[in-house]
Amino acid sequence: TLTLSTFAYIDLSSIGYFNRTSAEYSLSDQIRISAGVDLFEGDGGMFGMYSNNSECWIKMKYNF
């Protein structure tokens, strides 16, 4: 099973945003693999000060 998701926070006063997009795939009932990207963008304000902290990530989860 493949699950795609995204969500965003938008700062209209400072014209910035945070966006997290991810994909999760179930290899079996016990193993899941996820990958995603967190994007910060803006010239100022709350998200602009983190604009250099955008990242890509991966995760593997085993349930027993």
Side-chain angles (χ1 to χ4, degrees):
T1 304
L2 177 66
T3 304
L4 303 173
S5 65
T6 188
F7 73 88
Y9 294 109
I10 299 172
D11 182 3
L12 296 176
S13 63
S14 299
I15 313 301
Y17 67 88
F18 166 72
N19 183 351
R20 172 174 280 176
T21 301
S22 64
E24 181 178 81
Y25 184 70
S26 297
L27 292 173
S28 67
D29 289 339
Q30 292 85 19
I31 301 173
R32 293 182 188 183
I33 296 175
S34 303
V37 61
D38 296 340
L39 298 173
F40 292 92
E41 188 61 47
D43 293 329
M46 185 162 147
F47 301 120
M49 67 183 188
Y50 295 113
S51 63
N52 292 329
N53 292 346
S54 295
E55 64 182 358
C56 296
W57 51 270
I58 59 173
K59 176 172 72 170
M60 184 173 172
K61 187 174 183 179
Y62 178 76
N63 293 319
F64 57 94

